[in-house]
Amino acid sequence: MISSLTGEIQEVAVDSAVIAVGGVGYLFAASPNTVSALRIGQETTVQTLLLIRDDNPVLYGFGTADEREIFEIMMTVSGIGPRIALAVLSIFEPDQVRRHISEQDDKAFTQVPGIGPKSARRIILELSGKLVPREEEGSETKTVTGQPVWQEQVQQALIGLGWKEKDAAKGIAQAIKADPGLAASANVSDALRASLQNLGDGQTRQGI
């Protein structure tokens, strides 16, 4: 099993990237949050998980082992596959997932595209006791030089979830207008959630 890869990023797409290790390029799928933190030419370590379904191997990549753990556990829930598990990681940090489950907050999971009320309740029922919040010892914040940490990541995440670039930018702008303090925040999940809440009338996903 391939549990991690360390090498140079060769390609970056909306929901995948290629990392070169020992002369071999490994394509891996990832959440928009993970992909948006990667840069071509960057030397990095990616935590990985290889899934084989219907004889089709797919390698998934994560910024941390914690994210990989949440991904694996989410897929133990009936009806939750890799696509939705990645969407959860696009909206929430790993410990936020733990807190929502610990607090029986099924409504929180309905913010994730593809998860309705019934699926959200199923997540709470099937994962209660399996995911426990960890003590907060300081968050691991991905930083990008120049712009505030989350803006580029959130925009790429929204595009990855299906919104057009102009609508993603509009959602971000409206979120900042509604909460000016958000611009100085380093919390990608909160910023993404706030932006999603402002994506509504007149803003459609690509291909929908």
Side-chain angles (χ1 to χ4, degrees):
M1 176 180 175
I2 304 173
S3 62
S4 68
L5 292 170
T6 299
E8 182 179 298
I9 299 299
Q10 288 188 323
E11 299 177 21
V12 176
V14 172
D15 57 2
S16 64
V18 175
I19 184 170
V21 181
V24 178
Y26 292 87
L27 172 68
F28 62 90
S31 73
N33 277 357
T34 296
V35 169
S36 66
L38 302 176
R39 298 292 181 271
I40 293 177
Q42 174 189 42
E43 184 83 11
T44 190
T45 296
V46 178
Q47 305 300 315
T48 59
L49 177 68
L50 179 63
L51 293 183
I52 300 178
R53 295 191 170 188
D54 299 324
D55 296 323
N56 181 34
V58 179
L59 186 67
Y60 292 88
F62 310 91
T64 66
D66 203 15
E67 291 176 356
R68 181 179 60 197
E69 179 186 4
I70 296 297
F71 178 80
E72 290 186 90
I73 293 178
M74 287 299 303
M75 287 195 300
T76 67
V77 178
S78 303
I80 301 296
R83 181 182 65 82
I84 293 180
L86 283 181
V88 169
L89 289 172
S90 297
I91 303 297
F92 303 118
E93 298 286 344
D95 211 48
Q96 287 181 308
V97 175
R98 293 186 175 91
R99 284 200 302 272
H100 290 321
I101 291 172
S102 177
E103 296 169 1
Q104 303 284 295
D105 186 4
D106 54 301
K107 290 184 179 180
F109 289 102
T110 62
Q111 299 175 48
V112 179
I115 295 181
K118 290 183 179 179
S119 295
R121 187 57 190 166
R122 191 182 306 122
I123 289 172
I124 299 298
L125 291 173
E126 295 188 22
L127 297 186
S128 291
K130 294 183 180 180
L131 288 174
V132 180
R134 297 178 177 177
E135 291 184 4
E136 296 187 3
E137 299 176 351
S139 60
E140 294 181 49
T141 304
K142 297 173 182 175
T143 60
V144 179
T145 58
Q147 298 295 322
V149 171
W150 61 264
Q151 291 194 30
E152 181 180 352
Q153 291 175 280
V154 169
Q155 181 159 333
Q156 291 303 315
L158 292 172
I159 292 172
L161 291 172
W163 274 277
K164 296 179 181 179
E165 183 175 353
K166 66 176 182 179
D167 289 334
K170 184 177 179 181
I172 291 171
Q174 290 175 335
I176 294 176
K177 183 177 180 180
D179 180 8
L182 194 64
S185 171
N187 192 311
V188 175
S189 294
D190 285 351
L192 180 57
R193 184 163 55 252
S195 299
L196 280 169
Q197 290 172 349
N198 284 281
L199 285 167
D201 296 338
Q203 296 166 301
T204 57
R205 297 192 196 188
Q206 301 180 68
I208 294 180

